[in-house]
Amino acid sequence: MLCAVCMSMFLGPWRGNHHKTVKNVENAANNGCYICLYLLFEFHEKNPVFVEGPSDQIIYEFDPWIVHIYTPLLSLEVRYELLRGRYADTSYWQYIENVNQDRLKDPSKVRDNGLVGSGTTVSNTGDSIALEYAKALWQNCLKDHNECREMSSCLSPAQGGVSEQSWQPKRLIDCSFLDGQLHLIHRDSKQIHEAFATLSYCWGIDPSFYNLTSKNEQEALNGETPLSNLPQTFRDAIRVCRKLHITYLWIDSICILQSGDDGEDWELHVREMCRIYSSCILNIAAEHTSSPSEGLFMDRHPAIFQPTVVAPSSEEVERIMARQSLDSDTNSNITHTPDTRNQVYQLNIVNPRDLEKEIKYTKLSSRGWVMQERLLSSRTLHFTQRRIVWSCYYGNSGEGSKDNEYSGERFSSRVLDDLNPSSFEPNFARLWWHERIIDYSKRRLSFPEKDKLVAIAGIARAFNCKRGDEYLAGIFRRDLPWDLLWKVRVENCQTMTEKSHQSPDRVPSWSWASIHGPIDSRVFPSFLNATIESLVHIKSIDIVLSDVSNPYGRVKGGAIVFQGFLGTKADFKPEYYKCLFDGRHDISKVIWSIPLIHLADGKHKSIIGTVEGEDESTYGLLVQTDNPVCGYYRVGIFQSKEGDLARRILDDKVVRQTIKLI
């Protein structure tokens, strides 16, 4: 199916404007437009926050058998092929008339054109045919995928040596009961040795749905809470577990006390989050819904997997055919009859990345917590807007994919699939962590002040299980001082308030986790034959943990004390000095510069801008202070393309001070 704008392309002229805004593209994609779904994916790939800002003009243009849709930044190619037969139903012309009206009134509206090809007819992702498909994928993975079976044992060091067969979360939902009641079990009263599934979903803006508290816990344990009290997504997930013969299910809002215990149960589960998702036998993902009340399953058009077809007006068809006869390869074996009226065309996206687009930019994938839920789980069953998609360590598959075969490329870099600390150099490990931080910083958290570090704690724990490094509020000690040089991405970023560094319970300003928005944590995207030297000597690091038993959890503050040079912009040659602020500096106060590293004798790309061919550069922090004794807080980074000061620091020809960074 196509939206009014995409259908109108085939009614002429051969070149023109597509949707006026990217938001219209998004609306059309959500309505089921075949072309806009892929176009939206390309916009996301180029700029993940495009919807909030202005967009470039979108143009379409016909070539023989291909429609090009493009902006200055991206392009999409749609191939159209002539099918045999004609379409004589007069209702189609009423469809064309409606499209012309929609183009003016509701350009993102999608209508059924009545042209149906061959394919399986399924109307909902939760009907018997769809769930049988999911069951077949599940059983095939359990039977044949050694990679997926071995995942849990690979992660056991991060779990304290506990395997999935001998460990269970504190609470689980028993899905085997058919009496219409919620049956919660507690590991202190019932030990189980069966597999369990987990559920990933969006909490929504106003999470007023049923959740576990100290007041209603006993009722849930006694089986006295009706399942009808649970939101639809939870009930649908229980149905999936029953279909797959999985007895137990873990849902955070039902298996963690949400109130009534001063947060002790929540702190316990933060420590166990890595273990929960790496031990689960399956993760069920509600990709397209904004809240659990909307349900796991989605209605979809019966012809969703069938090739989209259009029947252009006869005048435009004749014009296209004429261009084809002039421009196409002379060896083409396609024969055109003189009368092209009512002929039908099939559309296919060139290089579609079909399965990836279904889950990469969904409502669920924008959540911060979901990143570790997806990376740590060995198997995920995605319920998307259009279909069921499966991903595991072996590969990916989905309804409507060619012969239901597994694609050779996985959706995301799972923790141990692409990362074995014993098999790569430290720079690669650092790059892997940086890529995770960049991805994570783009995602949304309902409570960023509380959850910023804990929502990625499971990945950090798994990543560090063999490295054995000290974890410092999102940064690893062996990567200092380099990893202090992250930068804020200016588009759509909400930073700390001006005085937030004075708050008693906070992430230190030197950590990327102090920023609530996109950051770039890569010090150097690329460098070649470069010598990197530290310009500071770290004396001590102190992190104040909310839970002293969990170094990966919340922090209440932290300080790095080092010896280094504390200067100002005047200490550098002005023509070589560039700075990039975090958005939290006070223009009425002095801005100090602390050189951190010196990079020399190689070509590299700067964290601030491309400086290929420069012989050397100095990078450091921009800081301010309310009281030097209490410490300095970060407000940005700087780069200087000359190395005179750095060499004097290295040669001990300048005075170094003891600096406390908070």
Side-chain angles (χ1 to χ4, degrees), residues 111-289:
R111 293 178 181 269
D112 181 8
N113 61 11
L115 304 176
V116 180
S118 60
T120 303
T121 298
V122 182
S123 60
N124 187 279
T125 53
D127 66 16
S128 58
I129 297 177
L131 291 184
E132 281 296 332
Y133 172 80
K135 184 178 180 180
L137 291 172
W138 156 251
Q139 292 176 337
N140 181 61
C141 182
L142 290 179
K143 177 183 176 182
D144 297 332
H145 297 174
N146 291 329
E147 301 94 333
C148 304
R149 286 196 296 268
E150 294 170 357
M151 189 270 184
S152 176
S153 61
C154 290
L155 268 177
S156 61
Q159 305 167 355
V162 182
S163 67
E164 81 176 66
Q165 288 78 16
S166 59
W167 183 86
Q168 70 183 72
K170 185 176 180 178
R171 302 178 189 87
L172 286 169
I173 300 168
D174 190 335
C175 302
S176 63
F177 288 88
L178 302 177
D179 58 0
Q181 301 293 113
L182 169 66
H183 290 268
L184 195 66
I185 63 169
H186 196 291
R187 64 186 174 198
D188 289 345
S189 59
K190 182 179 180 180
Q191 293 294 315
I192 63 171
H193 301 286
E194 296 180 51
F196 65 93
T198 57
L199 175 66
S200 294
Y201 63 98
C202 292
W203 277 56
I205 299 176
D206 181 22
S208 57
F209 52 87
Y210 175 89
N211 53 66
L212 191 69
T213 68
S214 58
K215 293 182 179 180
N216 63 21
E217 180 183 12
Q218 195 57 51
E219 292 180 356
L221 291 171
N222 294 340
E224 298 172 353
T225 301
L227 283 178
S228 58
N229 289 0
L230 274 59
Q232 188 63 49
T233 298
F234 297 0
R235 286 179 276 158
D236 290 343
I238 292 173
R239 179 185 167 196
V240 171
C241 287
R242 290 171 178 167
K243 183 70 176 181
L244 302 181
H245 303 297
I246 300 173
T247 303
Y248 299 103
L249 173 64
W250 188 87
I251 302 176
D252 55 3
S253 60
I254 294 182
C255 297
I256 304 175
L257 289 177
Q258 302 300 312
S259 65
D261 71 331
D262 296 326
E264 294 180 6
D265 199 55
W266 187 82
E267 292 285 0
L268 167 68
H269 283 86
V270 167
R271 295 194 297 272
E272 293 186 343
M273 206 60 69
C274 175
R275 189 176 296 178
I276 290 171
Y277 284 97
S278 60
S279 296
C280 76
I281 199 166
L282 177 69
N283 176 242
I284 301 169
E287 294 288 349
H288 190 61
T289 53

Side-chain angles (χ1 to χ4, degrees), residues 76-147:
L76 179 73
E77 293 184 348
V78 184
R79 188 180 303 276
Y80 57 97
E81 301 173 355
L82 189 65
L83 296 179
R84 293 182 180 275
R86 300 173 184 277
Y87 191 78
D89 192 338
T90 55
S91 64
Y92 185 78
W93 308 116
Q94 180 61 51
Y95 163 75
I96 294 294
E97 182 178 339
N98 292 336
V99 166
N100 288 328
Q101 295 177 2
D102 292 339
R103 176 69 187 265
L104 300 175
K105 298 179 180 179
D106 187 3
S108 299
K109 187 169 185 175
V110 174
R111 293 178 181 269
D112 181 8
N113 61 11
L115 304 176
V116 180
S118 60
T120 303
T121 298
V122 182
S123 60
N124 187 279
T125 53
D127 66 16
S128 58
I129 297 177
L131 291 184
E132 281 296 332
Y133 172 80
K135 184 178 180 180
L137 291 172
W138 156 251
Q139 292 176 337
N140 181 61
C141 182
L142 290 179
K143 177 183 176 182
D144 297 332
H145 297 174
N146 291 329
E147 301 94 333

Side-chain angles (χ1 to χ4, degrees), residues 580-617:
L580 185 64
F581 290 103
D582 297 343
R584 53 187 173 187
H585 63 287
D586 186 341
I587 60 174
S588 66
K589 293 181 179 180
V590 176
I591 298 174
W592 299 92
S593 302
I594 306 175
L596 290 185
I597 64 171
H598 178 234
L599 189 144
D601 304 325
K603 298 179 179 180
H604 62 281
K605 291 184 178 179
S606 161
I607 54 177
I608 296 178
T610 301
V611 290
E612 293 184 6
E614 295 294 331
D615 292 331
E616 56 187 333
S617 283

Side-chain angles (χ1 to χ4, degrees), residues 476-511:
F476 292 94
R477 179 158 189 161
R478 73 176 61 173
D479 297 329
L480 293 174
W482 298 273
D483 281 9
L484 297 176
L485 291 171
W486 46 267
K487 70 173 182 178
V488 173
R489 292 182 58 181
V490 295
E491 64 270 20
N492 201 35
C493 183
Q494 297 177 344
T495 62
M496 291 168 50
T497 60
E498 182 180 337
K499 297 296 183 182
S500 58
H501 63 277
Q502 298 176 351
S503 173
D505 297 334
R506 58 165 178 79
V507 176
S509 68
W510 45 263
S511 169

